């Protein structure tokens, strides 16, 4: 097909039924952009010879250098199938895990997707991700199994082995789809059962047994799976320019063999073989040891083509094949030294991949007019908002969305999926255009006038230097003047890239948060060249850590049981450390910290307890629910009401039940009901517990207790200084004592909280009036916080000049005291650093496995699993790797393995670093093993000191030890 005119594409845009909006999805390096090149070449935009080499849709320079797609690119193509013209709006999306946000935005704009799978590597992690995204967005996928040439050239499989291998790949892809379908059906079934159970009365007291598989049997899933006989699978080699559906071969052989087309279509893929004697197609090829029809009629022909052209280079055989296929090959292609050129010239005419893919797209993928109502509602609802809650005018647009009419009277609906930065020179109004004769004459006249004025100025000048002195010079902007450009550039980057986040730290540094190393490099390049257009100095990447406490270890560093000697050493160490604490701080052997404020008016006792790992994970997974809970509590404190959706209330109830089930044991009894706050930022994975006797405060679960509103209004009166304690806890959890990193998995239990407020003598009378209600108050009006009402304290605060103001100086001292108490309580327990961990999946051949393991062990990686991919010599290694050690990991592993292994890094979890950063040898065995200095490498200490050094904190390390003058042989002094 040649080049298509713009007018034809504009005309096709008005025919909704003949438009196909689709994107290409795949794992990295599975051939998306090469396939897109073949489709672009079919419209005459690029030469078919350059398809696969040019990578036309990789328009960025860094994309061409790295050889991977980083930004989604779109193009409109024209296609003719079955006598009808179609408009194909194609989006080529990235496959690298760092740019998964680009895939999400591309999928949201499309009605269908081409899923590309490598014939050698099969289903990879990102393949599963894109299939899941297509499923969640309710778009229909079709499958292209690419790089089949690798089965012939690299793996050297026979056609029979290749058929078995292709069957397994199809099973893998269908298994992913089947899992998604099963989970959806079971969820719907569970919801129906829950509704039926709540709606019906309990007539039967006996136990009811539900058959969970009933929903699966009733639901039709025949259209979900990929199968060549359904026409939604293409077998291709995009780099060699060929691809086919079995429809093409069924049509070809039905004419030659005289077998009906639909019979061949049903039997070409499957366990069927051709009985030459009976001239019939029969079942049971595998059991009878016969060649399947697909191998005999399809794969054998392709294998013989590769054997003649690439392997043996048999010119006579090639000429026969070309003649029998009725193809014209240019003499220069026949004489070319590279056999791939000849192969591409033959195959691109015999089985053009663009024809196979585009015909499949036009037949199997839906038009925009076939969009489902469910998907329309999902697109129109932003974030957590439901379609029912939208304004009526917006809801009325649903009909126009479903009609998808091209009439001039129909409303225009614009869905913004992402923002794209475009250079102003590329806009239509700024494009260069040819000048008319009148414009050329005007410009010539203007240039003549300017020249005459310049000549006149030179003649009137006194000296040659005076003209230069009067001219305008543009000095280079100083460094400080570049700051507004940087801020504007980062704002533009934040708009253009939804996965990039810009933060400003307290130190004034601008921090760019990205998804990974490759994404970070692309964002920096964008800032330098497109958005800020200034030179930027970027620091070393900032790696996040978390601080936590653990239970006291049972073995020492040499795996010996800790005896009395170690315990005595620890107790003595605690007693010695008492001298290091400030005045008013007491720490007992159990870790209970008592701290009194500097004005002696308040005393707080806090204990730090490590949270179970399951609880920490639960808090991390439910950040949005915790934020809703805290928002409701804040509104209730201000006397406002916050309406919460019934579904969210049910989720909060489930969250509470899960917390209660995971916080088991004597020390956690009733802990969930006593939760005071979560932190940091009121939604983090740390808990503040209220263990103060007699102090009743509104529960954080008050959003679940709507019927107790009267009681809530009364209990809120006890919260004068409640927020001061919570604020101190938030500050303490935001920056821990080890290296000012946020805390994680720590519970702070407030055991007691006493306040002693000495009031002026002039106000003694008012206090005496209330003495009968406060019999426990002593001679100097020592008041316990739980025995004082907020109304009275406020009235006395007003008359006493604000000594009890909950926003006054005393509140600030209480915040500082609570923060310091939490920090001391944290330090009283065994402290550990938590490192962010990547899950690393590496595909490598057997000969480079040793090098992969060497790189992993050098970077503190840990191998979890190793398995061989069936039917190949590829191994899949699953490992975990600290984020701190991941920079340059991908480049190093490619260099060490000569490009035969490439890792996929995805953030997985936070993991406690087992070594103690403050460890010193205490037992005799440790002294013998590590020596008196114990200066062997401590990973946690190395990370902690690096963070402290970056933040400008004190680092306890010796730079030079035993420095002395060098003695040489020349001067022995």
């Amino acid at each position: 097909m040649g080049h298509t005119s713009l007018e034809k594409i504009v005309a096709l845009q008005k025919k909704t039924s003949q438009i196909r909006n689709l994107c290409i999805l795949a794992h990295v390096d599975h051939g998306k952009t090469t396939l897109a090149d073949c489709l672009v070449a079919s419209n005459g935009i690029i030469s078919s010879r350059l398809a696969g080499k040019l990578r036309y849709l990789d328009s960025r320079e860094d994309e061409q250098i790295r050889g991977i797609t980083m930004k989604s690119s779109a193009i409109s193509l024209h296609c003719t199938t079955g006598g009808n013209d179609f408009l194909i709006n194609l989006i080529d999306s990235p496959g690298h895990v760092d740019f998964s946000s680009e895939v999400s935005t591309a999928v949201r704009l499309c009605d269908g997707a081409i899923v590309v799978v490598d014939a050698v590597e099969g289903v990879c992690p990102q393949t599963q991700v894109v299939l899941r995204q297509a499923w969640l967005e309710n778009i229909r996928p079709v499958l292209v199994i690419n790089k089949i040439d690798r089965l012939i050239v690299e793996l050297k499989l026979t056609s029979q082995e290749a058929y078995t291998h292709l069957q397994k790949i199809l099973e893998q892809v269908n298994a992913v789809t089947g899992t998604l379908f099963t989970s959806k059906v079971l969820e719907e079934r569970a919801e129906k059962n829950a509704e039926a159970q709540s709606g019906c009365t309990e007539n039967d007291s006996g136990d009811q047994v539900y058959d969970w598989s009933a929903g699966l049997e009733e639901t039709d899933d025949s259209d979900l799976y990929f199968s060549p006989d359904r026409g939604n699978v293409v077998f291709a080699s995009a780099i060699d320019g060929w691809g086919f559906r079995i429809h093409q071969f069924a049509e070809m052989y039905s004419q030659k063999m005289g077998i009906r087309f639909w019979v061949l279509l049903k039997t070409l893929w499957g366990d069927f073989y051709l009985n030459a004697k009976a001239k019939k197609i029969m079942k049971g090829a595998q059991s009878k040891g016969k060649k399947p029809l697909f191998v005999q009629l399809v794969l054998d022909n392709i294998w013989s083509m590769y054997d003649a052209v690439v392997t043996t280079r048999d010119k006579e055989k090639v000429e026969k094949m070309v003649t029998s296929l009725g193809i014209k090959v240019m003499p220069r292609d026949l004489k070319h030294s590279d056999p791939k050129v000849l192969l591409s010239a033959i195959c691109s005419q015999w089985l053009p991949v663009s024809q196979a893919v585009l015909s499949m797209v036009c037949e199997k993928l839906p038009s925009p007019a076939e969009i489902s109502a469910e998907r329309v509602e999902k697109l129109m609802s932003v974030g957590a908002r439901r379609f029912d809650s939208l304004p009526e005018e917006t809801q009325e647009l649903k009909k126009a969305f479903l009609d998808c009419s091209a009439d001039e009277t129909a409303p225009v609906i614009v869905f913004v999926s992402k923002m794209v930065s475009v250079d102003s020179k590329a806009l239509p109004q700024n494009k260069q255009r040819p000048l008319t004769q009148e414009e050329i004459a005007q410009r010539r006249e203007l240039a003549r006038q300017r020249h005459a004025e310049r000549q006149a100025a030179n003649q009137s000048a006194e000296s040659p230097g005076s003209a230069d002195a009067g001219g305008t010079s543009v000095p280079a902007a100083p460094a400080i003047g570049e700051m507004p450009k940087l801020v504007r550039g980062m704002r533009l980057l934040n708009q253009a890239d939804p996965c990039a986040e810009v933060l400003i730290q307290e130190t004034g540094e601008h921090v760019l948060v990205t998804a990974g190393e490759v994404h970070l490099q692309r964002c920096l390049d964008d800032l330098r060249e497109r958005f800020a257009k200034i030179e930027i100095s970027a620091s070393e990447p900032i790696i996040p850590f978390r601080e936590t406490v653990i239970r006291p270890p049972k073995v020492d560093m040499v795996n010996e049981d800790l005896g009395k000697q170690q315990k005595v050493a620890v107790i003595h160490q605690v007693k010695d450390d008492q001298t290091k604490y400030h005045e008013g701080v007491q720490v007992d052997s159990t870790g209970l910290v008592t701290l009194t404020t500097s004005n002696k008016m308040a005393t707080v006792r806090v204990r730090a307890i490590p949270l179970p790992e399951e609880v920490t994970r639960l808090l991390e997974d439910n950040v949005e629910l915790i934020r809703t809970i805290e928002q409701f509590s804040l509104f209730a404190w201000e006397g406002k009401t916050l309406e919460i959706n019934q579904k969210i209330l049910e989720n909060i109830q489930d969250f509470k039940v899960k917390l209660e089930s995971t916080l088991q044991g004597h020390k956690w009894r009733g802990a969930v009901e006593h939760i005071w706050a979560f932190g940091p930022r009121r939604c983090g994975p740390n808990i503040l517990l209220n263990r103060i006797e007699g102090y009743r405060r509104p529960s954080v679960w008050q959003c679940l207790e709507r019927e107790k509103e009267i009681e809530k209004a009364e209990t809120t009166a006890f919260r004068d200084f409640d927020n001061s304690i919570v604020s101190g806890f938030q500050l303490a959890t935001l920056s821990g004592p080890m290296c000012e990193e946020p805390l994680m998995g720590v519970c702070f239990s407030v055991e007691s909280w006493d306040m002693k407020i000495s009031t002026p003598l002039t106000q003694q009378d008012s206090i005496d009036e209330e003495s009968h209600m406060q019999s426990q108050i002593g001679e100097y009006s020592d008041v316990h916080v739980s025995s004082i009402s907020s109304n009275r304290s406020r009235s006395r605060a007003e008359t006493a000049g604000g000594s009890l103001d909950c926003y006054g100086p005393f509140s600030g001292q209480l915040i500082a005291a609570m923060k310091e108490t939490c920090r001391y309580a944290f330090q009283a327990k065994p402290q550990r650093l938590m490192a962010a961990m990547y899950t690393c999946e590496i595909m490598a051949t057997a000969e480079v496995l040793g090098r992969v393991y060497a790189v992993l062990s050098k970077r503190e990686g840990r191998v979890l699993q190793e398995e061989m991919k069936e039917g190949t010599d590829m191994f899949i290694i699953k490992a975990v790797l600290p984020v701190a050690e991941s920079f340059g990991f991908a480049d190093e592993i490619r260099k060490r393995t000569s490009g035969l292994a490439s890792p996929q890094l995805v953030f997985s979890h936070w993991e406690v670093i087992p070594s103690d950063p403050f460890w010193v040898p205490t037992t005799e065995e440790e002294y013998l093993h590590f020596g008196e200095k114990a200066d062997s490498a401590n990973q946690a200490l190395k990370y902690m000191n690096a963070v402290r050094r970056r933040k400008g904190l004190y680092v306890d390390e010796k730079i030079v030890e035993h420095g002395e003058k060098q003695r040489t042989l020349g001067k022995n002094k």
Side-chain angles (χ1 to χ4, degrees):
M1 188 184 296
H3 188 69
T4 309
S5 65
L6 184 64
E7 290 76 17
K8 194 163 193 175
I9 288 179
V10 170
L12 281 170
Q13 282 180 338
K14 295 181 180 178
K15 298 176 182 177
T16 315
S17 60
Q18 290 171 285
I19 295 174
R20 299 289 182 269
N21 299 320
L22 60 109
C23 54
I24 306 180
L25 309 175
H27 187 80
V28 66
D29 285 335
H30 276 204
K32 296 180 299 301
T33 308
T34 307
L35 179 63
D37 267 11
C38 294
L39 302 184
V40 170
S42 70
N43 271 224
I45 297 170
I46 62 172
S47 165
S48 57
R49 290 174 177 275
L50 294 175
K53 303 176 186 70
L54 187 63
R55 300 204 310 276
Y56 181 73
L57 294 181
D58 284 354
S59 54
R60 295 168 57 96
E61 188 181 350
D62 48 1
E63 288 178 325
Q64 291 286 345
I65 292 167
R66 284 183 180 267
I68 59 169
T69 305
M70 296 184 187
K71 285 268 190 186
S72 295
S73 303
I75 194 166
S76 292
L77 302 173
H78 171 241
C79 163
T80 304
T81 302
N84 293 320
D85 287 337
F86 289 90
L87 177 65
I88 312 290
N89 294 319
L90 180 74
I91 301 176
D92 179 28
S93 63
H96 198 283
V97 68
D98 281 11
F99 309 109
S100 52
S101 64
E102 295 277 336
V103 181
S104 304
T105 53
V107 165
R108 208 159 287 145
L109 290 172
C110 297
D111 305 303
I114 301 172
V115 178
V116 183
V117 177
D118 190 321
V120 173
E121 295 181 5
V123 174
C124 290
Q126 245 356 67
T127 315
Q128 297 179 9
V129 171
V130 297
L131 280 167
R132 180 176 173 76
Q133 281 181 316
W135 174 269
L136 292 174
E137 290 293 336
N138 200 15
I139 68 170
R140 194 180 301 169
V142 289
L143 182 67
V144 173
I145 299 179
N146 193 24
K147 301 192 180 183
I148 291 180
D149 60 296
R150 290 183 68 190
L151 300 178
I152 309 169
V153 179
E154 288 181 26
L155 300 186
K156 294 183 168 48
L157 300 181
T158 63
S159 54
Q160 179 68 47
E161 290 168 341
Y163 172 67
T164 311
H165 184 75
L166 292 171
Q167 276 185 316
K168 286 176 182 172
I169 288 175
L170 263 176
E171 285 171 13
Q172 289 171 8
V173 179
N174 286 332
V176 176
T177 310
T179 308
L180 294 168
F181 168 74
T182 307
S183 61
K184 183 186 177 185
V185 170
L186 291 181
E187 278 174 18
E188 289 175 356
R189 180 78 175 165
E191 285 176 11
K192 284 179 183 177
N193 285 339
E195 287 173 11
Q197 195 174 2
S198 61
C200 69
T201 55
E202 297 181 2
N203 296 327
D204 302 326
S205 58
D207 293 335
Q208 292 184 353
V209 179
Y210 291 102
D211 181 15
W212 292 102
S213 63
L216 292 173
E217 292 169 2
E218 294 164 9
T219 314
D220 180 28
D221 61 344
S222 57
D223 293 335
L224 295 175
Y225 299 111
F226 300 104
S227 179
D229 58 346
R230 288 202 187 100
N232 57 1
V233 179
V234 164
F235 302 95
S237 170
I239 195 72
D240 289 337
W242 62 266
F244 64 89
R245 291 194 296 165
I246 61 170
H247 287 61
Q248 293 165 258
F249 280 94
E251 197 175 325
M252 189 190 307
Y253 284 111
S254 67
Q255 296 169 359
K256 286 185 179 179
M257 299 167 65
I259 301 172
R260 280 173 291 183
F261 170 75
W262 66 269
V263 173
L264 271 174
L265 191 62
K266 292 291 179 187
T267 55
L268 257 177
W269 181 265
D271 193 25
F272 299 95
Y273 72 97
L274 183 65
N275 189 329
K277 291 180 181 178
K279 292 186 179 180
K280 285 184 180 179
I281 295 170
M282 305 183 78
K283 200 171 184 179
Q286 190 174 357
S287 59
K288 294 173 184 175
K290 302 285 187 181
K291 267 189 182 181
L293 212 59
F294 187 76
V295 175
Q296 192 176 353
L297 300 183
V298 180
L299 293 186
D300 278 352
N301 291 325
I302 294 168
W303 257 245
S304 59
M305 175 71 74
Y306 269 83
D307 179 63
V309 177
V310 179
T311 312
T312 60
R313 301 197 185 186
D314 190 340
K315 288 186 179 180
E316 291 181 6
K317 195 174 181 182
V318 169
E319 285 174 4
K320 283 181 183 178
M321 284 182 173
V322 168
T323 308
S324 63
L325 291 170
I327 297 168
K328 288 184 179 179
V329 181
M330 296 177 73
R332 67 175 182 184
D333 291 336
L334 287 166
K335 294 174 184 177
H336 206 284
S337 58
D338 184 5
K340 282 277 188 176
V341 175
L342 175 59
L343 181 74
S344 181
I346 296 170
C347 291
S348 59
Q349 294 181 61
W350 176 36
L351 299 169
V353 65
S354 57
Q355 184 184 329
V357 172
L358 291 175
S359 61
M360 175 178 68
V361 162
C362 296
E363 288 174 25
K364 296 297 172 184
L365 295 187
S367 69
E370 296 172 50
I371 190 169
S372 64
E374 182 188 353
R375 185 151 187 255
V376 168
E377 290 183 8
K378 194 173 179 181
L379 288 172
M380 294 180 75
S381 307
V382 181
R385 290 191 69 181
R386 298 184 59 170
F387 182 74
D388 307 336
S389 64
L390 294 172
E392 288 185 13
E393 295 83 358
T394 310
Q395 291 188 35
E396 287 172 6
L397 289 175
K398 180 181 172 182
K399 188 178 181 301
F401 216 133
L402 288 166
D403 292 343
C404 203
S405 173
D407 293 340
E408 292 181 2
T409 55
V412 176
I413 304 170
V414 179
F415 177 79
V416 181
S417 181
K418 68 169 287 188
M419 297 178 77
V420 183
S421 60
V422 179
D423 193 356
S424 59
K425 292 177 184 175
L427 294 173
Q429 62 267 30
N430 296 335
K431 281 189 177 178
Q432 290 185 350
R433 58 181 179 82
L435 297 174
T436 61
Q437 290 295 328
E438 292 80 6
E439 287 173 330
I440 292 170
Q442 286 175 3
R443 293 195 178 193
R444 192 184 293 120
E445 187 60 35
L446 279 171
R448 193 179 288 115
Q449 287 175 9
R450 283 192 199 126
H451 182 69
E453 287 170 6
R454 198 177 291 115
Q455 290 291 334
N458 286 337
Q459 288 173 7
S460 62
E462 293 179 1
S463 64
S466 62
D468 294 334
T472 307
S473 62
V474 183
I480 197 164
E482 306 285 1
M483 198 63 196
K485 292 182 182 177
L486 175 64
V487 172
R488 180 178 172 275
M490 291 186 95
R491 193 182 296 121
L492 287 171
L493 175 67
N494 203 16
Q495 290 175 340
D497 194 334
C499 210
E501 193 178 343
V502 178
L503 306 172
I504 299 177
Q505 288 189 322
E506 293 174 0
T507 55
E509 291 176 303
H510 286 70
V511 180
L512 183 62
V513 184
T514 59
E517 192 181 359
V518 183
H519 187 212
L520 174 64
Q521 192 58 50
R522 193 201 73 185
C523 288
L524 288 174
D525 290 344
D526 278 351
L527 268 177
R528 288 190 182 103
E529 296 165 14
R530 304 184 72 181
F531 300 127
K533 294 184 179 177
I534 57 171
E535 194 53 44
I536 294 166
S537 174
S539 69
E540 288 295 312
I542 297 172
I543 300 106
F545 288 93
R546 295 289 182 267
E547 301 179 24
T548 190
V549 291
I550 60 167
R551 292 180 180 180
K554 295 178 181 177
V555 294
D556 62 9
M557 292 290 282
V558 287
N559 291 330
E560 295 281 340
D561 285 335
L562 290 172
K564 290 181 181 177
Q565 181 186 0
Q566 172 69 359
K567 288 179 182 174
V568 171
V570 169
I571 291 166
H572 284 309
Q573 191 179 351
V574 170
K575 286 181 179 175
D576 293 340
D577 288 347
Q578 288 284 354
T579 56
K580 298 178 184 177
Y581 297 128
H582 294 291
E583 186 184 352
V585 182
Q586 293 177 353
V587 184
D588 67 6
S589 58
T590 62
L592 181 66
V593 177
T594 307
L595 188 140
T596 307
T597 57
S598 55
N599 59 4
K600 312 293 183 186
M601 290 175 68
T603 303
V604 186
R605 291 181 183 85
V606 177
R607 190 192 309 276
I609 310 165
L611 283 172
E613 192 179 335
E614 300 82 17
V615 177
T616 309
R617 202 177 299 120
L618 189 64
L619 294 173
E620 272 196 300
D621 294 342
N622 292 278
V623 169
E624 290 301 324
L625 286 181
I626 296 171
R627 195 175 278 126
T628 306
I629 292 166
E630 287 287 346
Q631 196 175 1
F632 186 92
S633 300
L634 185 66
F635 271 56
W637 166 244
E638 294 173 353
K640 302 175 184 175
T641 56
L642 177 68
E643 289 299 322
I644 300 180
N645 190 358
Q646 186 60 36
K647 191 174 181 182
I648 295 174
L649 284 174
E650 289 171 10
N651 292 339
I652 292 171
Q653 183 64 46
D654 292 344
F655 169 56
K656 185 182 177 183
V657 170
K658 285 178 186 174
L659 261 184
E660 287 170 343
S661 63
T662 48
L663 284 173
Q664 296 291 337
H666 175 70
K667 65 178 179 181
W668 297 112
R669 189 174 296 162
V672 175
E673 292 297 335
H674 288 95
I675 291 176
W676 197 335
F678 300 92
R681 298 185 178 92
R682 295 186 175 269
C683 59
N686 303 285
I687 292 175
L688 180 66
L689 283 187
N690 172 22
R691 294 288 192 188
I692 305 165
E693 290 184 15
Y695 177 39
R696 290 185 64 236
R697 64 180 302 282
S699 167
V700 293
W701 311 106
Q702 57 187 316
C703 57
L704 301 174
E705 302 168 359
R706 296 293 182 96
E707 68 277 0
K708 298 182 183 177
E709 287 184 11
I710 299 170
E711 186 183 342
K712 279 196 301 179
E714 291 174 357
T715 54
T716 51
F718 293 98
R719 296 183 64 186
D720 266 357
F721 295 99
D722 190 290
N723 281 333
S724 300
I725 294 291
V726 173
S727 298
F729 162 73
Q730 299 294 342
L731 289 171
T733 52
L734 189 61
S735 57
M738 295 172 73
C739 52
E740 302 292 334
E741 288 288 298
L743 303 191
M744 187 174 191
V746 185
C747 172
F748 290 105
S749 175
V750 183
E751 303 293 330
S752 70
W753 172 25
D754 301 316
M755 288 200 299
K756 297 179 181 180
I757 304 154
S758 56
T759 54
L761 292 172
T762 53
Q763 306 302 326
Q764 196 65 36
D765 297 336
S766 63
I767 294 175
D768 289 338
E769 290 174 7
E770 297 164 2
S771 60
H772 66 282
M773 295 181 66
Q774 299 174 357
S775 57
Q776 72 272 30
I777 300 178
E779 189 179 354
Y780 297 100
S781 303
D782 292 348
V783 183
H784 192 278
V785 69
S786 62
S787 63
I788 194 166
S789 70
S790 88
N791 293 333
R792 289 170 189 151
S793 58
R794 279 181 189 141
S795 64
R796 285 202 299 273
E798 290 166 6
T799 55
S803 62
L804 283 179
D805 184 9
C806 62
Y807 300 108
F810 176 65
S811 171
Q813 288 197 4
L814 198 56
I815 291 171
M818 182 61 190
K819 178 187 172 186
E820 290 303 313
T821 311
C822 289
R823 288 171 78 97
Y824 286 131
F826 182 90
Q827 289 173 306
K829 296 285 180 181
Q831 306 169 61
R832 294 290 185 274
L833 266 186
M834 294 183 81
M837 304 296 284
Y838 276 138
T839 299
C840 174
E841 286 214 8
I842 306 168
M843 294 191 71
T845 51
E847 59 263 22
V848 296
L849 269 185
R851 297 175 202 167
V852 170
Y853 277 96
V855 176
L856 277 170
S857 60
K858 175 187 167 187
R859 291 175 173 265
E860 307 291 332
R862 190 173 72 252
V863 176
L864 302 177
Q865 187 184 352
E866 177 195 301
E867 59 182 16
M868 192 170 187
K869 204 164 182 69
E870 222 175 321
T872 68
D873 62 344
M874 303 289 286
F875 282 85
I876 301 172
I877 303 157
K878 292 182 181 176
V880 287
L881 182 77
V883 174
E885 303 289 341
S886 67
F887 294 97
F889 173 71
D891 288 340
E892 184 179 358
I893 212 162
R894 283 195 196 100
K895 284 174 186 172
R896 292 288 299 274
T897 62
S898 304
L900 293 175
S902 57
Q904 273 293 90
L905 298 173
V906 182
F907 176 74
S908 172
H909 64 284
W910 294 91
E911 191 173 286
V912 177
I913 301 171
S915 55
D916 182 1
F918 302 106
W919 176 80
V920 289
T922 50
T923 63
E924 189 178 343
E925 289 84 1
E926 288 176 343
Y927 272 114
L928 286 170
H929 189 273
F930 293 101
E932 192 176 338
K933 292 183 185 177
D935 52 0
S936 58
N938 185 334
Q939 198 67 21
L941 182 63
K942 185 185 92 173
Y943 291 148
M944 187 182 80
N945 284 344
V947 176
R948 291 185 71 89
R949 205 176 289 113
R950 174 172 60 80
K951 293 184 175 181
L953 304 172
Y954 172 70
V955 179
D956 185 16
E957 62 179 352
K958 292 178 181 177
I959 308 299
V960 177
E961 193 172 356
H962 306 306
E964 53 185 40
K965 189 176 179 183
Q966 182 182 358
R967 295 178 181 273
T968 61
L969 293 173
K971 288 185 178 181
N972 192 11
K973 291 183 181 179

